[in-house]
Amino acid sequence: MIATAHDIAAAVRSRQCRVEDIVEATLARIAASDRQINAFTTVTAERARARAKVLDDRMLSGEDLGPLAGVPFAVKNLFDIAGLPTIAGSRISVGNAPASADATAIRRLEAAGAILVGALNMDEYASGFTTENSHYGPTRNPHDLGRMSGGSSGGAGAAVAAGMVPLTLGSDTNGSIRVPSALCGVFGLKPTYGRLSRAGTQLFSESLDHIGPLGRTVADVALAYDAMQGSDTADPVLAARPMEPALPLIEAGIADLRLAIGSGYFGRRADRTALDVATFAAKSLNVEEEVDLPGAERGWAASLVVTLIEGSSVHLSRLRTRPQDFDPMTRDRFLAGALAPAELYLKAQRERRNFREKALRVFERIDILITPAVPFEAPPIGCNRLEVAGEILDPRGMLGLFTQPVSFIGLPAVTVPIRTSDVLPRAVQLVAKPWNEQGLLRVARALEKLGVAAARIKDG
Amino acid sequence: MRGTMKQEATNSGEGNLSDETIDRIMYGAAAFLELHLPSEFTPGIRENLRALLRVGATLNKAGDTPASFVEIAPVFRA
């Protein structure tokens, strides 16, 4: 199996291998690995084989298939796949009519030559950080099958980390790309709010939802990110931005970027290793300045309020008609959100605005902030009590401690897995001002080139 | 009853509402939204609602400038 999306595309475009062979190898790998991991809820084998044949024929006729030629990918099962119901990790939505078209993101990756091979497990309606899905079972961490994969895009993180596919798509409301990327040891990009079209995805929280890629390398994530950019009238919050490709810039170095390591909010309530890994990454880039984001703690609290109230609104009709078919924990959270006073939502939105203004002032002085991605390593499946830095915490909520304030104010961020001697992966989060995904990926690539960062793939 | 209301008003600033008050909020809003709340759901909902209200009580302490509704509209652009 060829390792990266970049390598696969290069091999296909230079006619070193056929797309049909890549697809068969991928399907075999999924069949062999997923019995243990439980990352996939659907494998679209027939569709993938049919498309592989078409791509091979086009290749033979001399056509350039694009930058993702022949690259297999899979998507969190909240992305619409034509002909299938979009289940979003739920039992309720299994009865939905099949999607009439693919989500915009899928169409754009396929237009760049990629091949969809399946849909991936997630927390029900994206509400969670663990992918301990009560309907479809937990997605297991490839590096320790007794541990969580993270969530809510747990299938997306685990499928890459288990070597089943080189590339996946997830969504991120409060950390749902970055948390599983960190726990599974892969790269995961959450772009700026409004950068990539969410059209054709099941929304969780309208003002917080993002989509983005997870992959083995910075170049792979950049390839997918670049392929998904562009206008789309079907997503009303998509910003009118020019295409800003990141891949051509990732080797540009970081000499002109001002970096800092997170302190204050980002320097406590985490285990020693999480903090040490962030310090190690910063030192490897000669970063000494420490910076906090003032208001992050209140932003974290307020993000929870906005998430639950907006989430409850999305699911109100289901809460009326089929409350018993939700996972009980999801149902109780959404119902509480539906019943909360409006003033609570307004207070949280005011807090959001205040926090954002303060954070943007910080990003006038720096370009990239380095923080731990999550406060601790992947907890055991079923764990609801963990001692961290002298505190007893519920890991199911605390996994989003460092990611949640960042997405609350729409900042772009990337999870970068850091090499350690530990069995379980560790990672840092890089955060930038809005629209500076290029800067994020340049720093991620610098860490990768230094050998400090690398995805942890469970091959064989 | 008057005493109870006074106590609740004091406590509400800290988000420490009694079960009775939480239930009044819960069932009042549920009736308006046409949500049926079976009794087996209520402990979990009550716990989550209480948590939300406690969080709310910590937000926007004195000194913050309230924003207008347009500025805090749900469709948020970064």
Side-chain angles (χ1 to χ4, degrees), chain B residues 1-49:
Chain B
M1 186 63 189
R2 184 181 295 267
T4 304
M5 292 301 285
K6 186 177 179 184
Q7 184 65 38
E8 283 165 359
T10 303
N11 284 344
S12 66
E14 299 163 358
N16 294 321
L17 300 175
S18 66
D19 280 1
E20 185 189 13
T21 305
I22 296 271
D23 286 0
R24 277 211 296 271
I25 296 170
M26 199 162 81
Y27 286 112
F32 173 72
L33 295 170
E34 299 176 345
L35 284 164
H36 174 58
L37 305 180
S39 58
E40 65 266 30
F41 293 0
T42 53
I45 301 169
R46 191 186 292 130
E47 186 186 339
N48 278 282
L49 186 53

mmCIF file of all heavy atoms in Angstrom, chain B residues 1-49:
data_model
loop_
_atom_site.group_PDB
_atom_site.id
_atom_site.type_symbol
_atom_site.label_atom_id
_atom_site.label_comp_id
_atom_site.label_asym_id
_atom_site.label_seq_id
_atom_site.Cartn_x
_atom_site.Cartn_y
_atom_site.Cartn_z
ATOM 1 N N MET B 1 -44.632 30.871 50.175
ATOM 2 C CA MET B 1 -44.381 30.982 48.734
ATOM 3 C C MET B 1 -43.551 32.223 48.435
ATOM 4 O O MET B 1 -42.571 32.170 47.690
ATOM 5 C CB MET B 1 -45.718 31.030 47.993
ATOM 6 C CG MET B 1 -45.569 30.989 46.485
ATOM 7 S SD MET B 1 -44.808 29.435 45.948
ATOM 8 C CE MET B 1 -44.523 29.789 44.240
ATOM 9 N N ARG B 2 -43.948 33.356 49.106
ATOM 10 C CA ARG B 2 -43.205 34.577 48.861
ATOM 11 C C ARG B 2 -41.724 34.376 49.262
ATOM 12 O O ARG B 2 -40.814 34.766 48.554
ATOM 13 C CB ARG B 2 -43.837 35.719 49.661
ATOM 14 C CG ARG B 2 -43.211 37.072 49.409
ATOM 15 C CD ARG B 2 -43.896 38.127 50.269
ATOM 16 N NE ARG B 2 -45.297 38.297 49.900
ATOM 17 C CZ ARG B 2 -45.709 39.211 49.035
ATOM 18 N NH1 ARG B 2 -44.843 39.993 48.442
ATOM 19 N NH2 ARG B 2 -46.974 39.327 48.748
ATOM 20 N N GLY B 3 -41.545 33.701 50.414
ATOM 21 C CA GLY B 3 -40.189 33.428 50.883
ATOM 22 C C GLY B 3 -39.411 32.582 49.886
ATOM 23 O O GLY B 3 -38.242 32.835 49.623
ATOM 24 N N THR B 4 -40.080 31.623 49.333
ATOM 25 C CA THR B 4 -39.414 30.746 48.359
ATOM 26 C C THR B 4 -38.958 31.548 47.145
ATOM 27 O O THR B 4 -37.838 31.411 46.670
ATOM 28 C CB THR B 4 -40.393 29.654 47.895
ATOM 29 O OG1 THR B 4 -40.847 28.965 49.044
ATOM 30 C CG2 THR B 4 -39.701 28.674 46.959
ATOM 31 N N MET B 5 -39.854 32.419 46.670
ATOM 32 C CA MET B 5 -39.509 33.213 45.493
ATOM 33 C C MET B 5 -38.312 34.116 45.781
ATOM 34 O O MET B 5 -37.423 34.278 44.949
ATOM 35 C CB MET B 5 -40.710 34.062 45.062
ATOM 36 C CG MET B 5 -41.870 33.259 44.521
ATOM 37 S SD MET B 5 -41.415 32.276 43.082
ATOM 38 C CE MET B 5 -41.337 33.568 41.866
ATOM 39 N N LYS B 6 -38.290 34.697 47.002
ATOM 40 C CA LYS B 6 -37.186 35.579 47.342
ATOM 41 C C LYS B 6 -35.867 34.788 47.359
ATOM 42 O O LYS B 6 -34.850 35.233 46.851
ATOM 43 C CB LYS B 6 -37.446 36.204 48.707
ATOM 44 C CG LYS B 6 -36.424 37.259 49.083
ATOM 45 C CD LYS B 6 -36.773 37.892 50.402
ATOM 46 C CE LYS B 6 -35.720 38.931 50.782
ATOM 47 N NZ LYS B 6 -35.992 39.483 52.109
ATOM 48 N N GLN B 7 -35.945 33.595 47.951
ATOM 49 C CA GLN B 7 -34.761 32.745 47.999
ATOM 50 C C GLN B 7 -34.277 32.403 46.588
ATOM 51 O O GLN B 7 -33.090 32.473 46.292
ATOM 52 C CB GLN B 7 -35.096 31.444 48.757
ATOM 53 C CG GLN B 7 -33.905 30.517 48.943
ATOM 54 C CD GLN B 7 -32.843 31.127 49.833
ATOM 55 O OE1 GLN B 7 -33.159 31.803 50.804
ATOM 56 N NE2 GLN B 7 -31.579 30.925 49.471
ATOM 57 N N GLU B 8 -35.223 32.082 45.716
ATOM 58 C CA GLU B 8 -34.858 31.723 44.350
ATOM 59 C C GLU B 8 -34.218 32.899 43.629
ATOM 60 O O GLU B 8 -33.246 32.742 42.901
ATOM 61 C CB GLU B 8 -36.086 31.259 43.575
ATOM 62 C CG GLU B 8 -36.483 29.838 43.945
ATOM 63 C CD GLU B 8 -37.868 29.503 43.487
ATOM 64 O OE1 GLU B 8 -38.526 30.367 42.905
ATOM 65 O OE2 GLU B 8 -38.299 28.374 43.734
ATOM 66 N N ALA B 9 -34.788 34.088 43.862
ATOM 67 C CA ALA B 9 -34.251 35.255 43.190
ATOM 68 C C ALA B 9 -32.806 35.480 43.610
ATOM 69 O O ALA B 9 -31.944 35.803 42.789
ATOM 70 C CB ALA B 9 -35.094 36.481 43.516
ATOM 71 N N THR B 10 -32.521 35.266 44.878
ATOM 72 C CA THR B 10 -31.158 35.438 45.348
ATOM 73 C C THR B 10 -30.243 34.390 44.721
ATOM 74 O O THR B 10 -29.174 34.689 44.207
ATOM 75 C CB THR B 10 -31.117 35.286 46.890
ATOM 76 O OG1 THR B 10 -32.011 36.227 47.437
ATOM 77 C CG2 THR B 10 -29.717 35.522 47.417
ATOM 78 N N ASN B 11 -30.731 33.163 44.747
ATOM 79 C CA ASN B 11 -29.894 32.084 44.257
ATOM 80 C C ASN B 11 -29.702 32.129 42.749
ATOM 81 O O ASN B 11 -28.680 31.684 42.246
ATOM 82 C CB ASN B 11 -30.517 30.720 44.605
ATOM 83 C CG ASN B 11 -30.318 30.393 46.079
ATOM 84 O OD1 ASN B 11 -29.489 31.014 46.732
ATOM 85 N ND2 ASN B 11 -31.075 29.452 46.565
ATOM 86 N N SER B 12 -30.671 32.657 42.046
ATOM 87 C CA SER B 12 -30.593 32.586 40.597
ATOM 88 C C SER B 12 -29.392 33.337 40.056
ATOM 89 O O SER B 12 -28.866 32.991 39.012
ATOM 90 C CB SER B 12 -31.872 33.128 39.963
ATOM 91 O OG SER B 12 -31.978 34.503 40.228
ATOM 92 N N GLY B 13 -28.944 34.362 40.805
ATOM 93 C CA GLY B 13 -27.758 35.087 40.365
ATOM 94 C C GLY B 13 -26.539 34.190 40.299
ATOM 95 O O GLY B 13 -25.604 34.433 39.574
ATOM 96 N N GLU B 14 -26.535 33.163 41.102
ATOM 97 C CA GLU B 14 -25.404 32.232 41.099
ATOM 98 C C GLU B 14 -25.736 30.979 40.295
ATOM 99 O O GLU B 14 -24.941 30.050 40.244
ATOM 100 C CB GLU B 14 -25.054 31.845 42.539
ATOM 101 C CG GLU B 14 -24.635 33.041 43.381
ATOM 102 C CD GLU B 14 -24.692 32.728 44.869
ATOM 103 O OE1 GLU B 14 -25.080 31.611 45.226
ATOM 104 O OE2 GLU B 14 -24.363 33.615 45.649
ATOM 105 N N GLY B 15 -26.922 30.925 39.738
ATOM 106 C CA GLY B 15 -27.299 29.760 38.970
ATOM 107 C C GLY B 15 -27.707 28.569 39.811
ATOM 108 O O GLY B 15 -27.882 27.470 39.297
ATOM 109 N N ASN B 16 -27.830 28.771 41.125
ATOM 110 C CA ASN B 16 -28.190 27.651 42.005
ATOM 111 C C ASN B 16 -29.700 27.591 42.187
ATOM 112 O O ASN B 16 -30.228 28.002 43.214
ATOM 113 C CB ASN B 16 -27.512 27.798 43.372
ATOM 114 C CG ASN B 16 -26.011 27.677 43.250
ATOM 115 O OD1 ASN B 16 -25.519 26.865 42.485
ATOM 116 N ND2 ASN B 16 -25.300 28.502 43.989
ATOM 117 N N LEU B 17 -30.393 27.111 41.212
ATOM 118 C CA LEU B 17 -31.843 27.071 41.290
ATOM 119 C C LEU B 17 -32.307 25.748 41.885
ATOM 120 O O LEU B 17 -31.672 24.711 41.699
ATOM 121 C CB LEU B 17 -32.431 27.238 39.892
ATOM 122 C CG LEU B 17 -32.077 28.546 39.183
ATOM 123 C CD1 LEU B 17 -32.615 28.533 37.767
ATOM 124 C CD2 LEU B 17 -32.638 29.737 39.943
ATOM 125 N N SER B 18 -33.442 25.825 42.587
ATOM 126 C CA SER B 18 -34.021 24.606 43.154
ATOM 127 C C SER B 18 -34.566 23.721 42.030
ATOM 128 O O SER B 18 -34.839 24.204 40.915
ATOM 129 C CB SER B 18 -35.157 24.972 44.110
ATOM 130 O OG SER B 18 -36.216 25.549 43.366
ATOM 131 N N ASP B 19 -34.761 22.441 42.371
ATOM 132 C CA ASP B 19 -35.371 21.532 41.391
ATOM 133 C C ASP B 19 -36.724 22.063 40.946
ATOM 134 O O ASP B 19 -37.085 21.974 39.763
ATOM 135 C CB ASP B 19 -35.555 20.133 42.007
ATOM 136 C CG ASP B 19 -34.262 19.333 41.988
ATOM 137 O OD1 ASP B 19 -33.236 19.862 41.518
ATOM 138 O OD2 ASP B 19 -34.293 18.177 42.458
ATOM 139 N N GLU B 20 -37.451 22.619 41.909
ATOM 140 C CA GLU B 20 -38.802 23.118 41.606
ATOM 141 C C GLU B 20 -38.743 24.236 40.552
ATOM 142 O O GLU B 20 -39.529 24.263 39.603
ATOM 143 C CB GLU B 20 -39.448 23.625 42.906
ATOM 144 C CG GLU B 20 -40.878 24.059 42.756
ATOM 145 C CD GLU B 20 -41.397 24.752 44.015
ATOM 146 O OE1 GLU B 20 -40.581 25.103 44.882
ATOM 147 O OE2 GLU B 20 -42.613 24.949 44.094
ATOM 148 N N THR B 21 -37.784 25.133 40.723
ATOM 149 C CA THR B 21 -37.669 26.249 39.766
ATOM 150 C C THR B 21 -37.202 25.752 38.400
ATOM 151 O O THR B 21 -37.718 26.167 37.362
ATOM 152 C CB THR B 21 -36.691 27.310 40.305
ATOM 153 O OG1 THR B 21 -37.149 27.699 41.585
ATOM 154 C CG2 THR B 21 -36.609 28.506 39.385
ATOM 155 N N ILE B 22 -36.224 24.859 38.438
ATOM 156 C CA ILE B 22 -35.742 24.280 37.163
ATOM 157 C C ILE B 22 -36.920 23.616 36.445
ATOM 158 O O ILE B 22 -37.097 23.771 35.227
ATOM 159 C CB ILE B 22 -34.648 23.226 37.431
ATOM 160 C CG1 ILE B 22 -33.419 23.870 38.054
ATOM 161 C CG2 ILE B 22 -34.309 22.469 36.136
ATOM 162 C CD1 ILE B 22 -32.399 24.392 37.114
ATOM 163 N N ASP B 23 -37.723 22.893 37.198
ATOM 164 C CA ASP B 23 -38.844 22.175 36.568
ATOM 165 C C ASP B 23 -39.873 23.144 35.993
ATOM 166 O O ASP B 23 -40.484 22.869 34.956
ATOM 167 C CB ASP B 23 -39.512 21.232 37.580
ATOM 168 C CG ASP B 23 -38.650 19.995 37.847
ATOM 169 O OD1 ASP B 23 -37.564 19.898 37.235
ATOM 170 O OD2 ASP B 23 -39.052 19.153 38.664
ATOM 171 N N ARG B 24 -40.050 24.280 36.662
ATOM 172 C CA ARG B 24 -41.016 25.263 36.119
ATOM 173 C C ARG B 24 -40.517 25.806 34.781
ATOM 174 O O ARG B 24 -41.275 25.961 33.823
ATOM 175 C CB ARG B 24 -41.227 26.393 37.134
ATOM 176 C CG ARG B 24 -42.249 26.051 38.218
ATOM 177 C CD ARG B 24 -42.984 27.304 38.692
ATOM 178 N NE ARG B 24 -42.087 28.247 39.327
ATOM 179 C CZ ARG B 24 -41.783 28.259 40.624
ATOM 180 N NH1 ARG B 24 -42.294 27.347 41.434
ATOM 181 N NH2 ARG B 24 -40.964 29.162 41.125
ATOM 182 N N ILE B 25 -39.212 26.106 34.723
ATOM 183 C CA ILE B 25 -38.628 26.577 33.450
ATOM 184 C C ILE B 25 -38.782 25.479 32.391
ATOM 185 O O ILE B 25 -39.217 25.724 31.256
ATOM 186 C CB ILE B 25 -37.126 26.907 33.625
ATOM 187 C CG1 ILE B 25 -36.942 28.072 34.591
ATOM 188 C CG2 ILE B 25 -36.471 27.212 32.271
ATOM 189 C CD1 ILE B 25 -35.494 28.308 35.002
ATOM 190 N N MET B 26 -38.452 24.262 32.807
ATOM 191 C CA MET B 26 -38.427 23.125 31.896
ATOM 192 C C MET B 26 -39.806 22.849 31.307
ATOM 193 O O MET B 26 -39.975 22.779 30.082
ATOM 194 C CB MET B 26 -37.939 21.912 32.708
ATOM 195 C CG MET B 26 -37.413 20.771 31.942
ATOM 196 S SD MET B 26 -36.418 19.702 33.046
ATOM 197 C CE MET B 26 -37.677 18.762 33.861
ATOM 198 N N TYR B 27 -40.786 22.726 32.180
ATOM 199 C CA TYR B 27 -42.113 22.350 31.692
ATOM 200 C C TYR B 27 -42.809 23.517 30.991
ATOM 201 O O TYR B 27 -43.588 23.316 30.057
ATOM 202 C CB TYR B 27 -42.963 21.796 32.838
ATOM 203 C CG TYR B 27 -42.527 20.398 33.249
ATOM 204 C CD1 TYR B 27 -41.933 20.171 34.484
ATOM 205 C CD2 TYR B 27 -42.667 19.326 32.368
ATOM 206 C CE1 TYR B 27 -41.506 18.900 34.844
ATOM 207 C CE2 TYR B 27 -42.242 18.052 32.724
ATOM 208 C CZ TYR B 27 -41.662 17.842 33.961
ATOM 209 O OH TYR B 27 -41.233 16.586 34.295
ATOM 210 N N GLY B 28 -42.510 24.741 31.436
ATOM 211 C CA GLY B 28 -43.105 25.899 30.759
ATOM 212 C C GLY B 28 -42.626 25.989 29.318
ATOM 213 O O GLY B 28 -43.415 26.131 28.377
ATOM 214 N N ALA B 29 -41.307 25.872 29.151
ATOM 215 C CA ALA B 29 -40.756 25.953 27.793
ATOM 216 C C ALA B 29 -41.190 24.746 26.961
ATOM 217 O O ALA B 29 -41.480 24.875 25.769
ATOM 218 C CB ALA B 29 -39.231 26.030 27.851
ATOM 219 N N ALA B 30 -41.235 23.575 27.596
ATOM 220 C CA ALA B 30 -41.631 22.366 26.860
ATOM 221 C C ALA B 30 -43.048 22.496 26.323
ATOM 222 O O ALA B 30 -43.338 22.082 25.196
ATOM 223 C CB ALA B 30 -41.508 21.136 27.752
ATOM 224 N N ALA B 31 -43.939 23.092 27.121
ATOM 225 C CA ALA B 31 -45.318 23.268 26.661
ATOM 226 C C ALA B 31 -45.357 24.183 25.440
ATOM 227 O O ALA B 31 -46.032 23.908 24.445
ATOM 228 C CB ALA B 31 -46.164 23.847 27.791
ATOM 229 N N PHE B 32 -44.592 25.274 25.517
ATOM 230 C CA PHE B 32 -44.563 26.218 24.395
ATOM 231 C C PHE B 32 -44.003 25.553 23.136
ATOM 232 O O PHE B 32 -44.482 25.769 22.029
ATOM 233 C CB PHE B 32 -43.719 27.438 24.775
ATOM 234 C CG PHE B 32 -43.499 28.389 23.638
ATOM 235 C CD1 PHE B 32 -44.549 29.175 23.176
ATOM 236 C CD2 PHE B 32 -42.268 28.489 22.998
ATOM 237 C CE1 PHE B 32 -44.369 30.045 22.113
ATOM 238 C CE2 PHE B 32 -42.076 29.352 21.939
ATOM 239 C CZ PHE B 32 -43.130 30.134 21.501
ATOM 240 N N LEU B 33 -42.979 24.723 23.309
ATOM 241 C CA LEU B 33 -42.313 24.088 22.158
ATOM 242 C C LEU B 33 -42.990 22.787 21.726
ATOM 243 O O LEU B 33 -42.528 22.139 20.783
ATOM 244 C CB LEU B 33 -40.836 23.792 22.500
ATOM 245 C CG LEU B 33 -39.958 25.014 22.739
ATOM 246 C CD1 LEU B 33 -38.601 24.604 23.312
ATOM 247 C CD2 LEU B 33 -39.759 25.800 21.448
ATOM 248 N N GLU B 34 -44.039 22.416 22.439
ATOM 249 C CA GLU B 34 -44.756 21.161 22.149
ATOM 250 C C GLU B 34 -43.825 19.958 22.254
ATOM 251 O O GLU B 34 -43.819 19.061 21.408
ATOM 252 C CB GLU B 34 -45.427 21.223 20.767
ATOM 253 C CG GLU B 34 -46.450 22.336 20.670
ATOM 254 C CD GLU B 34 -47.052 22.460 19.273
ATOM 255 O OE1 GLU B 34 -46.489 21.893 18.331
ATOM 256 O OE2 GLU B 34 -48.091 23.120 19.162
ATOM 257 N N LEU B 35 -43.024 19.975 23.307
ATOM 258 C CA LEU B 35 -42.126 18.847 23.590
ATOM 259 C C LEU B 35 -42.722 18.035 24.731
ATOM 260 O O LEU B 35 -43.073 18.586 25.776
ATOM 261 C CB LEU B 35 -40.748 19.360 24.012
ATOM 262 C CG LEU B 35 -39.842 19.902 22.918
ATOM 263 C CD1 LEU B 35 -38.703 20.714 23.528
ATOM 264 C CD2 LEU B 35 -39.275 18.763 22.082
ATOM 265 N N HIS B 36 -42.808 16.755 24.530
ATOM 266 C CA HIS B 36 -43.281 15.861 25.581
ATOM 267 C C HIS B 36 -42.070 15.368 26.371
ATOM 268 O O HIS B 36 -41.103 14.882 25.776
ATOM 269 C CB HIS B 36 -44.035 14.684 24.962
ATOM 270 C CG HIS B 36 -44.433 13.646 25.962
ATOM 271 N ND1 HIS B 36 -45.226 13.944 27.052
ATOM 272 C CD2 HIS B 36 -44.127 12.323 26.038
ATOM 273 C CE1 HIS B 36 -45.398 12.834 27.763
ATOM 274 N NE2 HIS B 36 -44.740 11.843 27.167
ATOM 275 N N LEU B 37 -42.130 15.498 27.693
ATOM 276 C CA LEU B 37 -40.989 15.091 28.516
ATOM 277 C C LEU B 37 -41.411 13.946 29.435
ATOM 278 O O LEU B 37 -41.911 14.179 30.542
ATOM 279 C CB LEU B 37 -40.486 16.270 29.367
ATOM 280 C CG LEU B 37 -40.106 17.553 28.642
ATOM 281 C CD1 LEU B 37 -39.631 18.599 29.647
ATOM 282 C CD2 LEU B 37 -39.035 17.300 27.596
ATOM 283 N N PRO B 38 -41.211 12.713 29.016
ATOM 284 C CA PRO B 38 -41.521 11.585 29.904
ATOM 285 C C PRO B 38 -40.716 11.679 31.193
ATOM 286 O O PRO B 38 -39.599 12.207 31.198
ATOM 287 C CB PRO B 38 -41.088 10.359 29.092
ATOM 288 C CG PRO B 38 -41.001 10.812 27.693
ATOM 289 C CD PRO B 38 -40.655 12.265 27.736
ATOM 290 N N SER B 39 -41.274 11.155 32.271
ATOM 291 C CA SER B 39 -40.636 11.324 33.580
ATOM 292 C C SER B 39 -39.232 10.726 33.616
ATOM 293 O O SER B 39 -38.360 11.220 34.331
ATOM 294 C CB SER B 39 -41.506 10.701 34.672
ATOM 295 O OG SER B 39 -41.710 9.327 34.383
ATOM 296 N N GLU B 40 -38.996 9.672 32.819
ATOM 297 C CA GLU B 40 -37.655 9.078 32.865
ATOM 298 C C GLU B 40 -36.600 9.983 32.219
ATOM 299 O O GLU B 40 -35.402 9.782 32.412
ATOM 300 C CB GLU B 40 -37.636 7.680 32.221
ATOM 301 C CG GLU B 40 -37.921 7.638 30.734
ATOM 302 C CD GLU B 40 -39.400 7.391 30.435
ATOM 303 O OE1 GLU B 40 -40.241 7.807 31.260
ATOM 304 O OE2 GLU B 40 -39.701 6.806 29.376
ATOM 305 N N PHE B 41 -37.031 10.984 31.462
ATOM 306 C CA PHE B 41 -36.059 11.898 30.852
ATOM 307 C C PHE B 41 -35.676 13.030 31.814
ATOM 308 O O PHE B 41 -34.643 13.658 31.645
ATOM 309 C CB PHE B 41 -36.627 12.574 29.599
ATOM 310 C CG PHE B 41 -36.900 11.677 28.432
ATOM 311 C CD1 PHE B 41 -36.656 10.309 28.482
ATOM 312 C CD2 PHE B 41 -37.392 12.216 27.254
ATOM 313 C CE1 PHE B 41 -36.923 9.491 27.388
ATOM 314 C CE2 PHE B 41 -37.651 11.414 26.156
ATOM 315 C CZ PHE B 41 -37.428 10.048 26.222
ATOM 316 N N THR B 42 -36.553 13.329 32.758
ATOM 317 C CA THR B 42 -36.405 14.606 33.471
ATOM 318 C C THR B 42 -35.139 14.722 34.323
ATOM 319 O O THR B 42 -34.568 15.812 34.374
ATOM 320 C CB THR B 42 -37.654 14.918 34.325
ATOM 321 O OG1 THR B 42 -37.939 13.808 35.162
ATOM 322 C CG2 THR B 42 -38.837 15.223 33.448
ATOM 323 N N PRO B 43 -34.642 13.661 34.970
ATOM 324 C CA PRO B 43 -33.407 13.865 35.750
ATOM 325 C C PRO B 43 -32.237 14.326 34.877
ATOM 326 O O PRO B 43 -31.500 15.240 35.249
ATOM 327 C CB PRO B 43 -33.145 12.480 36.364
ATOM 328 C CG PRO B 43 -34.472 11.804 36.398
ATOM 329 C CD PRO B 43 -35.186 12.300 35.174
ATOM 330 N N GLY B 44 -32.079 13.711 33.725
ATOM 331 C CA GLY B 44 -30.972 14.082 32.832
ATOM 332 C C GLY B 44 -31.141 15.479 32.276
ATOM 333 O O GLY B 44 -30.170 16.244 32.179
ATOM 334 N N ILE B 45 -32.369 15.815 31.911
ATOM 335 C CA ILE B 45 -32.602 17.158 31.361
ATOM 336 C C ILE B 45 -32.368 18.198 32.444
ATOM 337 O O ILE B 45 -31.726 19.235 32.215
ATOM 338 C CB ILE B 45 -34.045 17.286 30.825
ATOM 339 C CG1 ILE B 45 -34.305 16.257 29.731
ATOM 340 C CG2 ILE B 45 -34.287 18.691 30.288
ATOM 341 C CD1 ILE B 45 -35.783 16.143 29.352
ATOM 342 N N ARG B 46 -32.875 17.904 33.634
ATOM 343 C CA ARG B 46 -32.735 18.859 34.739
ATOM 344 C C ARG B 46 -31.256 19.130 35.028
ATOM 345 O O ARG B 46 -30.839 20.275 35.196
ATOM 346 C CB ARG B 46 -33.438 18.303 35.981
ATOM 347 C CG ARG B 46 -33.591 19.300 37.099
ATOM 348 C CD ARG B 46 -34.165 18.636 38.336
ATOM 349 N NE ARG B 46 -35.550 18.218 38.178
ATOM 350 C CZ ARG B 46 -35.996 16.994 38.474
ATOM 351 N NH1 ARG B 46 -35.173 16.059 38.933
ATOM 352 N NH2 ARG B 46 -37.277 16.692 38.331
ATOM 353 N N GLU B 47 -30.484 18.060 35.024
ATOM 354 C CA GLU B 47 -29.045 18.189 35.317
ATOM 355 C C GLU B 47 -28.350 19.043 34.256
ATOM 356 O O GLU B 47 -27.545 19.927 34.565
ATOM 357 C CB GLU B 47 -28.430 16.789 35.352
ATOM 358 C CG GLU B 47 -26.986 16.743 35.770
ATOM 359 C CD GLU B 47 -26.412 15.333 35.636
ATOM 360 O OE1 GLU B 47 -27.180 14.349 35.602
ATOM 361 O OE2 GLU B 47 -25.184 15.246 35.533
ATOM 362 N N ASN B 48 -28.680 18.789 32.998
ATOM 363 C CA ASN B 48 -28.057 19.567 31.919
ATOM 364 C C ASN B 48 -28.524 21.017 31.913
ATOM 365 O O ASN B 48 -27.739 21.931 31.677
ATOM 366 C CB ASN B 48 -28.372 18.917 30.568
ATOM 367 C CG ASN B 48 -27.448 17.757 30.249
ATOM 368 O OD1 ASN B 48 -26.317 17.960 29.846
ATOM 369 N ND2 ASN B 48 -27.909 16.539 30.471
ATOM 370 N N LEU B 49 -29.812 21.219 32.179
ATOM 371 C CA LEU B 49 -30.335 22.589 32.197
ATOM 372 C C LEU B 49 -29.720 23.374 33.354
ATOM 373 O O LEU B 49 -29.345 24.541 33.207
ATOM 374 C CB LEU B 49 -31.864 22.554 32.300
ATOM 375 C CG LEU B 49 -32.591 23.886 32.193
ATOM 376 C CD1 LEU B 49 -32.197 24.655 30.934
ATOM 377 C CD2 LEU B 49 -34.105 23.674 32.224
#
